[in-house]
Amino acid sequence: MARSRASAPRRTATTRERLAAASGLMLAAALVLVPAGAASAHDYLVSTDPAADSTVSTPIDQVDLTFNDAVLDFADSTRLQVTGPDGGSTHFETACATVANTEVSAPIALGEAGEYTVVWRIVSSDGHAVSDTYSFRYEPADGTTAAEGSSSGPDCGEAAEAPSDSAPSTGPGSDSYLLIGTAVVIALVAAVTFGIIILRRPRDEDGEE
């Protein structure tokens, strides 16, 4: 009887140690797997100036795009084009896009009032090309000088095209959420399985009866 009373605290302590070990495994797995899933997502557009679907009432001389991570800048890899309300046949960017860390910019000179479309393409920090478009309206005051624009814009290499397979412009891609969710589920299943195996081990392995 005395031996049984003496061994009780030991059994309690051992159970707690096993639960702590299972929790530690779950945390370690989550820390390893979740960042790996998140890192696979393409860069995405955080903000624009002018903003998407906004109305600009004063002349502006530049379009600015801000991304969530540093944009890779290779020769002819970045495009930023601004076309006007005539169906996109006239360009109003006056020079090629420039990259400064997470910022992509291009100078512009807008023409007549109407809807303008911004077409952009970058190389994401994961090495993949990402592209998208957005629009804003230009409603200048009467008498504001209108730029003529050009039929092709500045010569910046191969022209950017409207995206057919691009990352969302306002947040992480859905593929990143899927990978993160899968990693978390794997971590939880591994932790629970490990905990069950440990807790069901024969007590005599710890010198208990």
Side-chain angles (χ1 to χ4, degrees):
M1 296 295 292
R3 183 179 179 182
S4 177
R5 286 193 298 270
S7 63
R10 173 58 182 168
R11 286 197 296 271
T12 301
T14 301
T15 298
R16 289 175 179 173
E17 290 169 0
R18 289 169 177 168
L19 288 173
S23 299
L25 178 65
M26 178 178 65
L27 178 60
L31 290 176
V32 170
L33 294 173
V34 172
S40 67
H42 301 323
D43 294 348
Y44 56 88
L45 191 61
V46 174
S47 63
T48 66
D49 185 15
D53 301 320
S54 65
T55 298
V56 177
S57 57
T58 57
I60 57 174
D61 59 9
Q62 185 167 287
V63 168
D64 299 307
L65 311 180
T66 302
F67 294 86
N68 68 304
D69 206 344
V71 174
L72 298 184
D73 188 17
F74 302 120
D76 299 332
S77 65
T78 304
R79 292 287 179 275
L80 200 167
Q81 300 173 347
V82 180
T83 56
D86 60 351
S89 60
T90 304
H91 289 250
F92 294 91
E93 71 277 13
T94 58
C96 299
T98 58
V99 177
N101 197 20
T102 62
E103 307 287 334
V104 175
S105 304
I108 62 172
L110 298 181
E112 301 293 337
E115 184 175 273
Y116 285 75
T117 300
V118 179
V119 181
W120 59 265
R121 184 187 71 195
I122 65 163
V123 175
S124 175
S125 59
D126 64 0
H128 291 86
V130 183
S131 60
D132 208 345
T133 68
Y134 78 91
S135 299
F136 65 90
R137 289 197 62 80
Y138 180 48
E139 299 292 347
D142 292 342
T144 301
T145 300
E148 293 184 1
S150 63
S151 60
S152 60
D155 183 9
C156 303
E158 182 183 355
E161 298 179 356
S164 58
D165 181 16
S166 62
S169 60
T170 56
S174 59
D175 57 342
S176 66
Y177 291 120
L178 178 60
L179 288 170
I180 292 172
T182 302
V184 171
V185 169
I186 292 173
L188 290 174
V189 170
V192 170
T193 302
F194 178 82
I196 291 174
I197 293 173
I198 290 297
L199 291 174
R200 295 185 63 181
R201 288 174 56 190
R203 291 180 178 175
D204 56 6
E205 292 183 13
D206 296 314
E208 301 171 356
E209 296 180 355

Short mmCIF file of all heavy atoms in Angstrom, two decimals, residues 78-135:
data_model
loop_
_atom_site.label_atom_id
_atom_site.label_comp_id
_atom_site.label_asym_id
_atom_site.label_seq_id
_atom_site.Cartn_x
_atom_site.Cartn_y
_atom_site.Cartn_z
N THR A 78 9.38 44.80 -65.42
CA THR A 78 8.32 45.57 -64.76
C THR A 78 7.61 46.45 -65.78
O THR A 78 8.24 47.12 -66.59
CB THR A 78 8.91 46.46 -63.65
OG1 THR A 78 9.62 45.64 -62.73
CG2 THR A 78 7.81 47.20 -62.91
N ARG A 79 6.28 46.42 -65.73
CA ARG A 79 5.49 47.24 -66.64
C ARG A 79 4.43 48.01 -65.85
O ARG A 79 3.83 47.49 -64.90
CB ARG A 79 4.75 46.36 -67.66
CG ARG A 79 5.68 45.69 -68.64
CD ARG A 79 6.25 46.68 -69.65
NE ARG A 79 7.15 46.01 -70.56
CZ ARG A 79 8.45 45.79 -70.33
NH1 ARG A 79 8.98 46.20 -69.20
NH2 ARG A 79 9.18 45.18 -71.22
N LEU A 80 4.20 49.25 -66.24
CA LEU A 80 3.11 50.04 -65.69
C LEU A 80 2.62 50.94 -66.81
O LEU A 80 3.33 51.86 -67.24
CB LEU A 80 3.57 50.86 -64.48
CG LEU A 80 2.47 51.34 -63.52
CD1 LEU A 80 3.07 51.84 -62.21
CD2 LEU A 80 1.61 52.42 -64.13
N GLN A 81 1.43 50.66 -67.34
CA GLN A 81 0.87 51.41 -68.45
C GLN A 81 -0.46 52.03 -68.04
O GLN A 81 -1.22 51.44 -67.25
CB GLN A 81 0.66 50.48 -69.66
CG GLN A 81 1.94 49.85 -70.15
CD GLN A 81 1.71 48.82 -71.24
OE1 GLN A 81 0.58 48.40 -71.48
NE2 GLN A 81 2.78 48.39 -71.90
N VAL A 82 -0.73 53.20 -68.56
CA VAL A 82 -1.98 53.90 -68.29
C VAL A 82 -2.62 54.27 -69.62
O VAL A 82 -2.05 55.03 -70.41
CB VAL A 82 -1.73 55.17 -67.45
CG1 VAL A 82 -3.06 55.88 -67.17
CG2 VAL A 82 -1.04 54.82 -66.14
N THR A 83 -3.78 53.71 -69.89
CA THR A 83 -4.49 54.00 -71.14
C THR A 83 -5.78 54.76 -70.84
O THR A 83 -6.34 54.67 -69.74
CB THR A 83 -4.82 52.70 -71.89
OG1 THR A 83 -5.58 51.83 -71.05
CG2 THR A 83 -3.54 51.99 -72.32
N GLY A 84 -6.24 55.50 -71.84
CA GLY A 84 -7.32 56.45 -71.61
C GLY A 84 -8.70 55.97 -71.98
O GLY A 84 -8.94 54.80 -72.27
N PRO A 85 -9.65 56.92 -71.98
CA PRO A 85 -11.07 56.61 -72.16
C PRO A 85 -11.47 56.29 -73.60
O PRO A 85 -12.65 56.11 -73.88
CB PRO A 85 -11.77 57.88 -71.67
CG PRO A 85 -10.77 58.97 -71.84
CD PRO A 85 -9.43 58.34 -71.63
N ASP A 86 -10.50 56.20 -74.50
CA ASP A 86 -10.83 55.92 -75.90
C ASP A 86 -10.76 54.43 -76.20
O ASP A 86 -10.53 54.03 -77.35
CB ASP A 86 -9.88 56.69 -76.82
CG ASP A 86 -8.43 56.31 -76.61
OD1 ASP A 86 -8.14 55.58 -75.63
OD2 ASP A 86 -7.58 56.74 -77.42
N GLY A 87 -10.93 53.59 -75.19
CA GLY A 87 -10.91 52.15 -75.43
C GLY A 87 -9.54 51.53 -75.24
O GLY A 87 -9.33 50.36 -75.57
N GLY A 88 -8.60 52.29 -74.71
CA GLY A 88 -7.28 51.74 -74.42
C GLY A 88 -6.27 51.88 -75.52
O GLY A 88 -5.17 51.33 -75.42
N SER A 89 -6.60 52.62 -76.59
CA SER A 89 -5.67 52.75 -77.71
C SER A 89 -4.64 53.85 -77.52
O SER A 89 -3.67 53.93 -78.28
CB SER A 89 -6.44 52.97 -79.02
OG SER A 89 -7.21 54.17 -78.93
N THR A 90 -4.85 54.72 -76.53
CA THR A 90 -3.91 55.81 -76.27
C THR A 90 -3.28 55.65 -74.91
O THR A 90 -3.96 55.43 -73.91
CB THR A 90 -4.62 57.18 -76.34
OG1 THR A 90 -5.27 57.32 -77.61
CG2 THR A 90 -3.62 58.31 -76.15
N HIS A 91 -1.93 55.77 -74.87
CA HIS A 91 -1.18 55.63 -73.62
C HIS A 91 -0.85 57.01 -73.06
O HIS A 91 -0.54 57.94 -73.79
CB HIS A 91 0.13 54.88 -73.89
CG HIS A 91 -0.07 53.42 -74.18
ND1 HIS A 91 0.31 52.44 -73.30
CD2 HIS A 91 -0.61 52.79 -75.26
CE1 HIS A 91 0.02 51.25 -73.81
NE2 HIS A 91 -0.54 51.44 -75.00
N PHE A 92 -0.89 57.08 -71.73
CA PHE A 92 -0.60 58.35 -71.06
C PHE A 92 0.54 58.25 -70.06
O PHE A 92 0.82 59.21 -69.34
CB PHE A 92 -1.87 58.89 -70.38
CG PHE A 92 -2.92 59.28 -71.38
CD1 PHE A 92 -3.88 58.39 -71.79
CD2 PHE A 92 -2.93 60.56 -71.93
CE1 PHE A 92 -4.84 58.74 -72.73
CE2 PHE A 92 -3.88 60.93 -72.87
CZ PHE A 92 -4.84 60.01 -73.28
N GLU A 93 1.23 57.09 -70.01
CA GLU A 93 2.48 57.04 -69.24
C GLU A 93 3.57 57.66 -70.11
O GLU A 93 3.60 57.45 -71.33
CB GLU A 93 2.84 55.60 -68.85
CG GLU A 93 3.31 54.69 -69.96
CD GLU A 93 2.18 54.04 -70.75
OE1 GLU A 93 1.02 54.46 -70.61
OE2 GLU A 93 2.48 53.10 -71.53
N THR A 94 4.43 58.46 -69.51
CA THR A 94 5.42 59.20 -70.29
C THR A 94 6.83 58.64 -70.17
O THR A 94 7.75 59.13 -70.83
CB THR A 94 5.44 60.68 -69.85
OG1 THR A 94 5.73 60.76 -68.44
CG2 THR A 94 4.09 61.34 -70.11
N ALA A 95 7.02 57.63 -69.33
CA ALA A 95 8.32 56.97 -69.19
C ALA A 95 8.08 55.57 -68.61
O ALA A 95 6.99 55.26 -68.13
CB ALA A 95 9.25 57.77 -68.28
N CYS A 96 9.11 54.75 -68.68
CA CYS A 96 8.99 53.38 -68.18
C CYS A 96 8.89 53.36 -66.66
O CYS A 96 9.32 54.30 -65.97
CB CYS A 96 10.20 52.56 -68.64
SG CYS A 96 10.35 52.44 -70.43
N ALA A 97 8.34 52.29 -66.15
CA ALA A 97 8.19 52.13 -64.70
C ALA A 97 9.54 51.99 -64.01
O ALA A 97 10.49 51.45 -64.58
CB ALA A 97 7.33 50.90 -64.40
N THR A 98 9.59 52.47 -62.78
CA THR A 98 10.78 52.31 -61.95
C THR A 98 10.40 51.57 -60.68
O THR A 98 9.26 51.65 -60.21
CB THR A 98 11.40 53.67 -61.58
OG1 THR A 98 10.41 54.48 -60.90
CG2 THR A 98 11.87 54.41 -62.83
N VAL A 99 11.37 50.83 -60.12
CA VAL A 99 11.14 50.03 -58.92
C VAL A 99 12.02 50.54 -57.79
O VAL A 99 13.22 50.78 -57.98
CB VAL A 99 11.45 48.54 -59.19
CG1 VAL A 99 11.29 47.72 -57.92
CG2 VAL A 99 10.56 48.00 -60.29
N ALA A 100 11.42 50.72 -56.62
CA ALA A 100 12.17 51.10 -55.42
C ALA A 100 11.64 50.26 -54.26
O ALA A 100 10.66 50.62 -53.62
CB ALA A 100 12.00 52.59 -55.12
N ASN A 101 12.27 49.10 -54.07
CA ASN A 101 11.87 48.17 -53.02
C ASN A 101 10.44 47.66 -53.26
O ASN A 101 10.20 46.94 -54.20
CB ASN A 101 12.02 48.82 -51.65
CG ASN A 101 12.01 47.79 -50.52
OD1 ASN A 101 12.26 46.61 -50.76
ND2 ASN A 101 11.75 48.21 -49.31
N THR A 102 9.48 48.10 -52.45
CA THR A 102 8.09 47.65 -52.63
C THR A 102 7.28 48.58 -53.52
O THR A 102 6.10 48.33 -53.76
CB THR A 102 7.38 47.53 -51.27
OG1 THR A 102 7.35 48.82 -50.64
CG2 THR A 102 8.10 46.54 -50.36
N GLU A 103 7.90 49.65 -54.01
CA GLU A 103 7.18 50.67 -54.78
C GLU A 103 7.48 50.56 -56.27
O GLU A 103 8.63 50.40 -56.68
CB GLU A 103 7.57 52.07 -54.30
CG GLU A 103 7.43 52.29 -52.81
CD GLU A 103 5.98 52.41 -52.37
OE1 GLU A 103 5.15 52.82 -53.22
OE2 GLU A 103 5.69 52.11 -51.21
N VAL A 104 6.42 50.66 -57.07
CA VAL A 104 6.56 50.73 -58.53
C VAL A 104 5.85 51.99 -58.98
O VAL A 104 4.69 52.22 -58.62
CB VAL A 104 5.95 49.50 -59.23
CG1 VAL A 104 6.01 49.66 -60.74
CG2 VAL A 104 6.69 48.24 -58.80
N SER A 105 6.52 52.81 -59.78
CA SER A 105 5.96 54.10 -60.19
C SER A 105 6.22 54.35 -61.67
O SER A 105 7.16 53.81 -62.25
CB SER A 105 6.58 55.25 -59.38
OG SER A 105 6.41 55.05 -57.99
N ALA A 106 5.36 55.21 -62.25
CA ALA A 106 5.57 55.66 -63.63
C ALA A 106 4.99 57.06 -63.77
O ALA A 106 3.89 57.34 -63.26
CB ALA A 106 4.92 54.71 -64.62
N PRO A 107 5.69 57.97 -64.46
CA PRO A 107 5.16 59.31 -64.68
C PRO A 107 4.06 59.27 -65.73
O PRO A 107 4.09 58.46 -66.66
CB PRO A 107 6.38 60.09 -65.18
CG PRO A 107 7.25 59.06 -65.80
CD PRO A 107 7.04 57.80 -65.00
N ILE A 108 3.06 60.14 -65.57
CA ILE A 108 1.94 60.18 -66.51
C ILE A 108 1.56 61.63 -66.80
O ILE A 108 1.91 62.55 -66.05
CB ILE A 108 0.70 59.44 -65.97
CG1 ILE A 108 0.20 60.12 -64.68
CG2 ILE A 108 1.00 57.97 -65.74
CD1 ILE A 108 -1.13 59.56 -64.17
N ALA A 109 0.84 61.81 -67.89
CA ALA A 109 0.22 63.09 -68.22
C ALA A 109 -1.14 62.75 -68.81
O ALA A 109 -1.22 62.20 -69.92
CB ALA A 109 1.07 63.87 -69.22
N LEU A 110 -2.20 63.04 -68.07
CA LEU A 110 -3.54 62.60 -68.46
C LEU A 110 -4.15 63.51 -69.52
O LEU A 110 -3.81 64.69 -69.63
CB LEU A 110 -4.45 62.54 -67.24
CG LEU A 110 -4.02 61.55 -66.14
CD1 LEU A 110 -5.00 61.57 -64.99
CD2 LEU A 110 -3.88 60.14 -66.70
N GLY A 111 -5.09 62.94 -70.28
CA GLY A 111 -5.75 63.68 -71.36
C GLY A 111 -7.14 64.15 -70.97
O GLY A 111 -7.32 64.83 -69.95
N GLU A 112 -8.11 63.77 -71.76
CA GLU A 112 -9.48 64.21 -71.53
C GLU A 112 -10.10 63.49 -70.34
O GLU A 112 -9.58 62.48 -69.85
CB GLU A 112 -10.33 63.93 -72.78
CG GLU A 112 -9.82 64.62 -74.05
CD GLU A 112 -9.96 66.14 -73.96
OE1 GLU A 112 -10.80 66.63 -73.16
OE2 GLU A 112 -9.24 66.83 -74.70
N ALA A 113 -11.22 64.04 -69.87
CA ALA A 113 -11.94 63.41 -68.76
C ALA A 113 -12.45 62.03 -69.18
O ALA A 113 -12.73 61.77 -70.36
CB ALA A 113 -13.12 64.29 -68.35
N GLY A 114 -12.55 61.14 -68.22
CA GLY A 114 -13.06 59.81 -68.49
C GLY A 114 -12.38 58.76 -67.64
O GLY A 114 -11.69 59.07 -66.66
N GLU A 115 -12.58 57.51 -67.99
CA GLU A 115 -12.01 56.40 -67.21
C GLU A 115 -10.66 55.99 -67.76
O GLU A 115 -10.51 55.78 -68.97
CB GLU A 115 -12.97 55.22 -67.22
CG GLU A 115 -12.49 54.04 -66.36
CD GLU A 115 -13.51 52.93 -66.29
OE1 GLU A 115 -14.40 52.98 -65.41
OE2 GLU A 115 -13.42 52.03 -67.14
N TYR A 116 -9.70 55.86 -66.87
CA TYR A 116 -8.35 55.45 -67.23
C TYR A 116 -8.06 54.07 -66.62
O TYR A 116 -8.51 53.76 -65.51
CB TYR A 116 -7.32 56.47 -66.75
CG TYR A 116 -7.30 57.72 -67.59
CD1 TYR A 116 -8.31 58.67 -67.46
CD2 TYR A 116 -6.30 57.94 -68.53
CE1 TYR A 116 -8.32 59.82 -68.24
CE2 TYR A 116 -6.30 59.08 -69.32
CZ TYR A 116 -7.31 60.02 -69.18
OH TYR A 116 -7.32 61.15 -69.97
N THR A 117 -7.30 53.27 -67.36
CA THR A 117 -7.00 51.92 -66.92
C THR A 117 -5.49 51.78 -66.71
O THR A 117 -4.69 52.15 -67.58
CB THR A 117 -7.46 50.87 -67.96
OG1 THR A 117 -8.87 50.98 -68.13
CG2 THR A 117 -7.12 49.46 -67.49
N VAL A 118 -5.14 51.25 -65.55
CA VAL A 118 -3.74 50.98 -65.22
C VAL A 118 -3.49 49.48 -65.39
O VAL A 118 -4.19 48.65 -64.81
CB VAL A 118 -3.42 51.40 -63.77
CG1 VAL A 118 -1.96 51.08 -63.43
CG2 VAL A 118 -3.71 52.88 -63.56
N VAL A 119 -2.52 49.16 -66.21
CA VAL A 119 -2.13 47.76 -66.43
C VAL A 119 -0.71 47.60 -65.89
O VAL A 119 0.19 48.34 -66.29
CB VAL A 119 -2.16 47.38 -67.93
CG1 VAL A 119 -1.77 45.92 -68.12
CG2 VAL A 119 -3.53 47.66 -68.51
N TRP A 120 -0.51 46.64 -64.98
CA TRP A 120 0.82 46.46 -64.41
C TRP A 120 1.26 45.01 -64.42
O TRP A 120 0.44 44.10 -64.44
CB TRP A 120 0.91 47.03 -63.00
CG TRP A 120 -0.06 46.43 -61.99
CD1 TRP A 120 -1.28 46.91 -61.64
CD2 TRP A 120 0.12 45.23 -61.22
NE1 TRP A 120 -1.87 46.10 -60.69
CE2 TRP A 120 -1.03 45.06 -60.41
CE3 TRP A 120 1.14 44.29 -61.13
CZ2 TRP A 120 -1.18 43.99 -59.54
CZ3 TRP A 120 1.00 43.21 -60.25
CH2 TRP A 120 -0.15 43.08 -59.47
N ARG A 121 2.56 44.83 -64.41
CA ARG A 121 3.16 43.51 -64.31
C ARG A 121 4.47 43.63 -63.56
O ARG A 121 5.27 44.55 -63.83
CB ARG A 121 3.42 42.90 -65.68
CG ARG A 121 3.95 41.45 -65.62
CD ARG A 121 4.35 40.95 -66.99
NE ARG A 121 5.56 41.63 -67.46
CZ ARG A 121 5.98 41.61 -68.73
NH1 ARG A 121 5.26 40.99 -69.64
NH2 ARG A 121 7.09 42.23 -69.06
N ILE A 122 4.71 42.75 -62.61
CA ILE A 122 5.96 42.73 -61.85
C ILE A 122 6.48 41.30 -61.77
O ILE A 122 5.77 40.35 -62.11
CB ILE A 122 5.78 43.28 -60.42
CG1 ILE A 122 4.85 42.35 -59.63
CG2 ILE A 122 5.27 44.71 -60.44
CD1 ILE A 122 4.91 42.54 -58.13
N VAL A 123 7.72 41.16 -61.28
CA VAL A 123 8.22 39.85 -60.90
C VAL A 123 8.20 39.81 -59.37
O VAL A 123 8.86 40.59 -58.70
CB VAL A 123 9.64 39.60 -61.43
CG1 VAL A 123 10.19 38.27 -60.89
CG2 VAL A 123 9.64 39.59 -62.95
N SER A 124 7.38 38.90 -58.85
CA SER A 124 7.20 38.75 -57.41
C SER A 124 8.50 38.31 -56.74
O SER A 124 9.41 37.79 -57.39
CB SER A 124 6.09 37.73 -57.16
OG SER A 124 5.93 37.45 -55.80
N SER A 125 8.60 38.52 -55.44
CA SER A 125 9.80 38.13 -54.70
C SER A 125 10.03 36.63 -54.72
O SER A 125 11.13 36.16 -54.43
CB SER A 125 9.70 38.61 -53.24
OG SER A 125 8.56 38.07 -52.60
N ASP A 126 9.00 35.83 -55.11
CA ASP A 126 9.19 34.39 -55.23
C ASP A 126 9.62 34.00 -56.65
O ASP A 126 9.75 32.82 -56.95
CB ASP A 126 7.91 33.63 -54.85
CG ASP A 126 6.74 33.92 -55.79
OD1 ASP A 126 6.91 34.71 -56.75
OD2 ASP A 126 5.65 33.37 -55.56
N GLY A 127 9.85 35.01 -57.50
CA GLY A 127 10.35 34.76 -58.84
C GLY A 127 9.30 34.59 -59.90
O GLY A 127 9.62 34.40 -61.08
N HIS A 128 8.02 34.68 -59.55
CA HIS A 128 6.93 34.51 -60.51
C HIS A 128 6.39 35.86 -60.97
O HIS A 128 6.35 36.82 -60.19
CB HIS A 128 5.79 33.69 -59.90
CG HIS A 128 6.13 32.26 -59.68
ND1 HIS A 128 6.75 31.81 -58.54
CD2 HIS A 128 5.95 31.16 -60.46
CE1 HIS A 128 6.94 30.50 -58.62
NE2 HIS A 128 6.46 30.09 -59.77
N ALA A 129 5.97 35.91 -62.23
CA ALA A 129 5.36 37.13 -62.75
C ALA A 129 3.94 37.26 -62.22
O ALA A 129 3.19 36.29 -62.14
CB ALA A 129 5.35 37.10 -64.27
N VAL A 130 3.59 38.47 -61.81
CA VAL A 130 2.25 38.77 -61.30
C VAL A 130 1.74 40.00 -62.04
O VAL A 130 2.48 40.96 -62.24
CB VAL A 130 2.28 39.06 -59.78
CG1 VAL A 130 0.87 39.30 -59.25
CG2 VAL A 130 2.94 37.91 -59.02
N SER A 131 0.48 39.99 -62.45
CA SER A 131 -0.06 41.13 -63.19
C SER A 131 -1.52 41.34 -62.86
O SER A 131 -2.20 40.44 -62.37
CB SER A 131 0.11 40.91 -64.71
OG SER A 131 -0.57 39.75 -65.12
N ASP A 132 -1.99 42.55 -63.13
CA ASP A 132 -3.39 42.87 -62.88
C ASP A 132 -3.71 44.23 -63.49
O ASP A 132 -2.82 44.89 -64.04
CB ASP A 132 -3.68 42.88 -61.38
CG ASP A 132 -5.14 42.52 -61.07
OD1 ASP A 132 -5.96 42.54 -62.00
OD2 ASP A 132 -5.45 42.23 -59.91
N THR A 133 -4.96 44.65 -63.39
CA THR A 133 -5.38 45.95 -63.88
C THR A 133 -6.33 46.59 -62.86
O THR A 133 -6.94 45.89 -62.04
CB THR A 133 -6.12 45.86 -65.22
OG1 THR A 133 -7.37 45.21 -65.02
CG2 THR A 133 -5.31 45.08 -66.24
N TYR A 134 -6.45 47.89 -62.93
CA TYR A 134 -7.50 48.59 -62.18
C TYR A 134 -7.80 49.90 -62.89
O TYR A 134 -7.05 50.33 -63.78
CB TYR A 134 -7.10 48.81 -60.72
CG TYR A 134 -6.13 49.96 -60.48
CD1 TYR A 134 -6.60 51.25 -60.20
CD2 TYR A 134 -4.76 49.74 -60.50
CE1 TYR A 134 -5.72 52.30 -59.96
CE2 TYR A 134 -3.88 50.78 -60.25
CZ TYR A 134 -4.36 52.05 -59.99
OH TYR A 134 -3.49 53.09 -59.75
N SER A 135 -8.89 50.54 -62.53
CA SER A 135 -9.32 51.77 -63.20
C SER A 135 -9.59 52.89 -62.21
O SER A 135 -9.88 52.65 -61.04
CB SER A 135 -10.58 51.51 -64.04
OG SER A 135 -10.35 50.53 -65.02
#
